[in-house]
Amino acid sequence: MNLQVFAGEKTEKATPKKRNEARQKGQVAQSQEIGTSLELIVTVSLFMVLGTFFWDRIVAMFADIFLHRLSMEITSGNVMDMFSRYAIQMLIFLSPIFIGAFVIIFAAHYFQVGWLFTTETLKFKFNSLNPINGFKRLFSSRSLVELVKSILKLLVIAIIVYLVLWSERERVMALAHVPIEDIFAFTGNLTTRLAMFVAVILFILALGDYYYQKYSYEKSLRMSKQDIKDEYKNQEGDPKIKAKIKERQRRMAIMRMMQDVPTADVIITNPTHFAVALKYDSAKMDAPKVIAKGQDYMALRIREIAKKNDVMIMENKPLARALYERAEIGQAIPPDLFQAVAEVLAYIYRLKGRRKA
């Protein structure tokens, strides 16, 4: 019983076959937090680098409204034309952010799992509607970990915001005595700094989440020793079935070999331990060919079939052993045995010629 329990424990690493099957189903180790945090870092960086460009575009849009649109005749065509122009302008100056976000999301996904496209995750599963399964997922260890992660992120962000605002408390209190433009500049700068700090901290936390996801993924793929044995059987076949197949193939090969014995020119024997059947057709063969061979019981069967079919049997102990050990069924004899076999065949042909005479 203890051995069975031990064999059922999932303590072994997943095999390449199971990893490949899980990957085809879309089950991979990745953290969505890495893509989100990198996207935030890129977006804030673009705002910091292209801030003047964005500001000029926004000011130009509002200036156009106040300078040229207040006296505009209000018709459906004019309103649609105005909104179309502003929408195109917004898309133009926001395009760096959209492109950067798309590229960074794709890169984060690629560096985590490589190139992967599967529709398995899009398939509708009825068991997802099962309230019992939903209740189990709600109170599972994974949900608890996600809750802890969310609380940790909120706590870290709150601490960062508090520390940054507390370090700027004197300047914040002095905003009542500065021009409106300086207030906007200070607020934008402070917001950008806060966003960058938060993005960097979230990225660091995302790295930890990635390694946790990788650990959790490897743990979910673990296999028991019995699982590995079953997979090997499915891939390679049950050893018992394979043995039966080999035995059947061997019997069929022996039957085919025995059927060729009556066509042999001569059977060279040991005389009891080995028997080799040779055939030579000068019109089709460059050298004599072994069409059957056997040892002990098989040698006896070959001799019996040869006697029944009036095939010549010749005793030559060294030649029989050499042919048995060095020549395979269906192959020509080794070149260094040509002379010995030629002498045997010549003798056999002379005997056949005398019989016919």
Side-chain angles (χ1 to χ4, degrees):
M1 181 66 180
N2 292 333
L3 291 176
Q4 292 178 352
V5 172
F6 179 75
E9 291 181 355
K10 297 184 181 297
T11 56
E12 307 300 317
K13 290 184 177 180
T15 59
K17 179 176 181 294
K18 185 169 184 179
R19 291 180 183 276
N20 185 57
E21 290 177 351
R23 182 178 177 82
Q24 295 301 321
K25 295 178 181 178
Q27 300 173 2
V28 290
Q30 65 173 332
S31 173
Q32 302 293 339
E33 306 294 335
I34 289 182
T36 304
S37 57
L38 286 176
E39 184 180 2
L40 183 58
I41 290 175
V42 170
T43 302
V44 175
S45 300
L46 288 173
F47 271 115
M48 294 173 66
V49 174
L50 303 176
T52 304
F53 170 77
F54 293 147
W55 176 256
D56 292 340
R57 289 283 179 171
I58 294 173
V59 170
M61 287 177 60
F62 281 99
D64 180 69
I65 293 175
F66 287 106
L67 293 176
H68 305 102
R69 301 294 178 177
L70 292 179
S71 59
M72 179 186 70
E73 183 181 357
I74 300 177
T75 63
S76 59
N78 290 339
V79 171
M80 290 300 298
D81 179 65
M82 181 182 68
F83 278 110
S84 298
R85 288 186 57 186
Y86 291 157
I88 292 173
Q89 291 181 19
M90 290 179 66
L91 285 176
I92 291 174
F93 76 78
L94 290 178
S95 59
I97 295 177
F98 295 148
I99 295 173
F102 175 79
V103 171
I104 202 65
I105 288 293
F106 178 81
H109 177 79
Y110 179 79
F111 283 109
Q112 288 185 85
V113 301
W115 178 255
L116 176 63
F117 178 78
T118 178
T119 58
E120 287 291 329
T121 55
L122 301 177
K123 292 182 178 179
F124 180 76
K125 298 178 181 179
F126 287 98
N127 59 1
S128 60
L129 301 178
N130 190 339
I132 298 177
N133 293 337
F135 186 79
K136 290 180 180 179
R137 289 194 297 268
L138 184 61
F139 294 95
S140 63
S141 58
R142 187 178 185 85
S143 299
L144 180 61
V145 171
E146 295 296 329
L147 177 62
V148 172
K149 283 165 46 180
S150 300
I151 294 175
L152 180 62
K153 286 191 292 186
L154 289 175
L155 183 62
V156 170
I157 292 173
I159 292 174
I160 292 174
V161 172
Y162 172 78
L163 292 176
V164 172
L165 291 179
W166 183 256
S167 64
E168 299 288 343
R169 62 186 183 279
E170 295 182 358
R171 295 184 63 184
V172 171
M173 298 300 294
L175 290 178
H177 308 286
V178 297
I180 188 68
E181 293 183 358
D182 293 341
I183 294 176
F184 279 119
F186 172 77
T187 304
N189 182 40
L190 182 61
T191 303
T192 305
R193 285 170 52 199
L194 274 174
M196 183 57 72
F197 282 139
V198 170
V200 171
I201 294 299
L202 288 179
F203 177 71
I204 295 173
L205 294 177
L207 290 177
D209 178 63
Y210 170 73
Y211 285 105
Y212 168 77
Q213 296 293 343
K214 195 170 183 179
Y215 165 77
S216 179
Y217 175 74
E218 292 292 335
K219 187 177 179 181
S220 66
L221 288 183
R222 284 180 186 173
M223 305 172 66
S224 65
K225 296 182 182 296
Q226 187 61 42
D227 292 337
I228 295 177
K229 290 180 180 179
D230 293 340
E231 182 182 295
Y232 177 78
K233 286 182 179 180
N234 292 332
Q235 282 185 304
E236 303 295 331
D238 193 329
K240 294 181 180 179
I241 297 177
K242 289 178 67 178
K244 290 181 179 180
I245 293 174
K246 287 183 178 180
E247 177 64 21
R248 181 171 295 180
Q249 291 174 344
R250 188 179 69 85
R251 290 180 181 178
M252 293 176 65
I254 291 174
M255 290 176 62
R256 287 194 298 268
M257 181 182 71
M258 291 304 182
Q259 291 173 356
D260 292 337
V261 171
T263 66
D265 292 321
V266 63
I267 308 297
I268 300 177
T269 64
N270 194 22
T272 56
H273 294 295
F274 300 100
V276 180
L278 298 178
K279 182 179 179 63
Y280 179 61
D281 185 350
S282 59
K284 299 179 180 179
M285 304 177 187
D286 296 329
K289 184 172 67 173
V290 176
I291 61 174
K293 69 176 185 177
Q295 183 178 7
D296 297 331
Y297 174 75
M298 290 301 302
L300 176 62
R301 289 286 300 143
I302 290 173
R303 291 197 302 272
E304 290 177 351
I305 295 174
K307 289 178 181 179
K308 290 180 181 180
N309 293 274
D310 199 22
V311 178
M312 298 292 293
I313 299 175
M314 186 172 183
E315 180 180 337
N316 189 326
K317 294 181 180 180
L319 182 57
R321 179 180 289 273
L323 287 171
Y324 182 84
E325 292 179 350
R326 298 173 57 192
E328 297 297 330
I329 298 172
Q331 294 181 354
I333 63 173
D336 58 330
L337 298 179
F338 281 179
Q339 182 64 33
V341 172
E343 293 176 357
V344 171
L345 289 175
Y347 175 74
I348 295 300
Y349 292 154
R350 285 198 299 271
L351 286 179
K352 288 182 178 181
R354 291 175 184 175
R355 289 182 180 182
K356 289 181 179 180

